[in-house]
Amino acid sequence: MSARGLVVAAVLLVAACSHAAKVVQAETPQAAEPAAVAPQAPAASSAKACSSDDQCSASELCVSATCVAITPGLAECRPSAHFDFDRADLHPGDEATLQRASRCLMALQKETALVEGNCDDRGTVQYNIALGFRRAHAVAKYVEDLGVPTARMSEVSYGKELPVCTASTESCWAMNRRADLAPGARPRDVAARIRAGERRERTVTASPDTQGSKEPAAHPANPAP
């Protein structure tokens, strides 16, 4: 074979080998790339268990054995103190609930609190208004003594105008003899009810059946809850 023939044969051989390599490369399956693993969401942190408020942060209360964030609507932040007939002295049993309420107000630093004094339906309108204020003041002062600034506390009396129970029974009267602490609340307008109650009292006083009668000496001139 001539030299030129040898060159041509070598060129053809190289071309054939190159083509075969491409065919083999094309027919060889590519290794599959590993599928991307989606990042897993972090596991939700379980609420902290507790047996007292001291085991929670300053912005939490221990509710049903769990630390719960303090909010204005949390029931434990809106307690009611109850009173004996014609009295405005706090019961020792209410002090613990008011201590928790003060903890709420210390955490809710931007919230003011309204203390609403209430009475049962015995006694005159004005006497009950005055007694309701004394009850509201007793609660407000106790909370202020625990460190809540006086400027954040307001007091209002609804007297006997906003009962939560209307039956004429001792258990019902006891429910109405109360002062409610309500963070963020605004006073309710009971002026019309007060005026209506005073009109009824004047009507009763002017009635012929009551003229000349005297209140029994064993009772105050304005018996009140």
Side-chain angles (χ1 to χ4, degrees), residues 3-221:
R4 182 176 180 183
L6 289 174
V7 172
V8 172
V11 171
L12 292 175
L13 179 61
V14 170
C17 290
S18 176
H19 176 72
K22 291 181 180 180
V23 172
V24 170
Q25 183 178 11
E27 292 179 353
T28 302
Q30 298 291 329
E33 294 183 1
V37 179
Q40 294 184 353
S45 58
S46 57
K48 182 179 178 181
C50 59
S51 59
S52 68
D53 292 336
D54 292 339
Q55 296 175 339
C56 302
S57 71
S59 61
E60 297 175 321
L61 285 181
C62 185
V63 180
S64 300
T66 302
C67 290
V68 176
I70 290 173
T71 63
L74 189 65
E76 285 75 9
C77 296
R78 309 174 72 86
S80 296
H82 292 85
F83 299 85
D84 293 332
F85 175 78
D86 200 22
R87 303 286 299 197
D89 306 309
L90 287 176
H91 289 166
D94 286 327
E95 292 178 356
T97 61
L98 294 178
Q99 289 167 10
R100 303 190 83 193
S102 69
R103 181 185 177 97
C104 291
L105 292 174
M106 297 297 284
L108 301 169
Q109 296 184 6
K110 294 183 179 180
E111 291 286 350
T112 58
L114 180 66
V115 187
E116 305 167 318
N118 296 272
C119 305
D120 69 34
D121 62 0
R122 295 171 293 178
T124 64
V125 169
Q126 287 303 320
Y127 187 92
N128 281 302
I129 291 293
L131 179 57
F133 269 118
R134 295 202 301 272
R135 289 172 173 169
H137 182 69
V139 169
K141 184 178 185 306
Y142 185 84
V143 173
E144 289 166 4
D145 288 344
L146 293 174
V148 178
T150 303
R152 295 179 56 198
M153 305 292 295
S154 299
E155 303 165 21
V156 66
S157 174
Y158 300 131
K160 57 182 178 179
E161 308 308 324
L162 295 178
V164 294
C165 183
T166 56
S168 296
T169 63
E170 180 53 42
S171 60
C172 192
W173 289 327
M175 293 172 62
N176 292 330
R177 297 194 299 263
R178 71 193 194 279
D180 304 322
L181 191 153
R186 294 180 178 274
R188 286 173 280 183
D189 186 0
V190 296
R193 297 189 186 192
I194 291 174
R195 290 193 296 269
E198 290 176 330
R199 285 196 297 271
R200 287 193 298 270
E201 290 175 355
R202 288 194 295 269
T203 300
V204 171
T205 302
S207 170
D209 294 337
T210 60
Q211 290 181 354
S213 64
K214 293 183 178 181
E215 194 74 28
H219 297 280

